[in-house]
Amino acid sequence: MVIAAEEQRLGKPSAFDFGGVESATIGVIAERALVFAKLENRLIVGLSGAVGSLAETPDEFLFCFMAPPIPGDSATHMQEVLLQAFCFEHDIYIIKIDSAEKLSRLLGSSTMQSCALIQKNWVSDNQTEVLSKVEDQLVDFCEAHWESPVKPIVKLPEK
């Protein structure tokens, strides 16, 4: 069961179009979800950390943010393709973002990071999943593009 939780800390983002044209607002929503998850210690950063965490508890994750692969790094590219397939198989929403640099800067990482996972947030009974407003909006965005053969790329804010 999923319950949308009241989001009070970051305010309400404006509406955006799920229909196809990518707006800057979804990037702000993604940024807020990542920042919240980091503050709440529900964020796994980096490809090796993501793979290890998913191998142990795949049902604990809600989103997988993926930056474009580095050109010419075929080993990392293969790992990322397998990670995406694993996430798809376990109903983890994949959100493709425009830049590993922006992701790394946003998360305060001193090294370049190509992916990040957001863990689900559970009520104390461990049976009810709670979504913040930004997570609920990201779920709506992902559901709108679930069947799309080519996923849209979300542009994270520049700042």
Side-chain angles (χ1 to χ4, degrees):
M1 179 201 273
V2 178
I3 299 173
E6 194 63 32
E7 187 59 67
Q8 298 175 6
R9 292 177 275 184
L10 293 178
K12 181 182 175 189
S14 58
F16 51 90
D17 177 24
F18 296 124
V21 177
E22 194 67 35
S23 72
T25 307
I26 191 65
V28 172
I29 291 169
E31 175 187 47
R32 289 177 177 180
L34 286 162
V35 168
F36 260 157
K38 182 179 178 185
L39 290 172
E40 296 171 348
N41 293 320
R42 298 186 297 120
L43 189 68
I44 306 296
V45 179
L47 187 57
S48 61
V51 169
S53 296
L54 286 171
E56 291 178 24
T57 55
D59 295 336
E60 292 293 317
F61 294 94
L62 183 61
F63 298 111
C64 178
F65 290 84
M66 304 279 308
I70 298 169
D73 187 355
S74 58
T76 301
H77 178 67
M78 286 190 296
Q79 286 181 315
E80 290 174 347
V81 169
L82 291 171
L83 177 63
Q84 288 181 54
F86 188 86
C87 288
F88 186 76
E89 180 180 327
H90 287 87
D91 295 326
I92 299 168
Y93 296 111
I94 299 166
I95 300 172
K96 293 191 174 194
I97 57 173
D98 64 329
S99 167
E101 292 86 9
K102 289 180 190 177
L103 178 65
S104 301
R105 186 174 53 246
L106 173 67
L107 301 177
S109 177
S110 59
T111 59
M112 195 61 61
Q113 302 298 335
S114 62
C115 74
L117 294 174
I118 293 181
Q119 293 176 311
K120 294 176 181 176
N121 194 13
W122 299 96
V123 175
S124 59
D125 65 4
N126 282 339
Q127 294 181 2
T128 306
E129 180 185 342
V130 179
L131 296 176
S132 67
K133 282 187 181 180
V134 293
E135 289 172 338
D136 192 40
Q137 290 172 323
L138 275 181
V139 167
D140 289 345
F141 172 79
C142 291
E143 286 290 328
H145 297 287
W146 186 259
E147 297 294 327
S148 301
V150 177
K151 304 289 186 221
I153 295 175
V154 173
K155 292 186 180 234
L156 293 175
E158 292 294 330
K159 49 181 170 164

